[in-house]
Amino acid sequence: MPRYFFDINDGADLKDEVGREIREPLALRREALRVMTALMAAEAEDSQDCTLVLTVRNESGDGVMTIRLVCQIDDT
């Protein structure tokens, strides 16, 4: 089963050294979106503005997916 690595950048690079085994492309997309939404929720608690970039790599180190999320919170 292929292994994919989920690298995060929130202003600093955090490389995934463990990865996850994921069989299907749709499951890979779902997992990447799950990771990003959880990260965005955590980041948004601590700041007004945040930008997150998730890069998914395959076992060869090739990028297979990138997700960018920008969050701006204006409290009134």
Side-chain angles (χ1 to χ4, degrees):
M1 182 175 320
R3 181 171 295 272
Y4 295 93
F5 300 86
F6 295 75
D7 300 332
I8 300 163
N9 183 295
D10 63 354
D13 287 324
L14 177 62
K15 292 276 189 191
D16 179 1
E17 300 296 335
V18 177
R20 299 177 177 123
E21 290 184 343
I22 300 175
R23 189 177 310 244
E24 301 169 10
L26 185 56
L28 176 61
R29 178 179 282 239
R30 284 185 187 136
E31 181 65 7
L33 289 170
R34 186 195 66 74
V35 168
M36 278 301 273
T37 55
L39 287 169
M40 183 57 73
E43 288 282 327
E45 286 182 9
D46 297 332
S47 65
Q48 294 296 105
D49 301 304
C50 57
T51 301
L52 292 172
V53 179
L54 176 74
T55 303
V56 180
R57 295 180 284 123
N58 62 18
E59 293 170 297
S60 300
D62 300 322
V64 296
M65 181 185 305
T66 302
I67 301 174
R68 289 175 192 80
L69 288 177
V70 176
C71 179
Q72 295 177 312
I73 300 173
D74 295 322
D75 294 321
T76 56

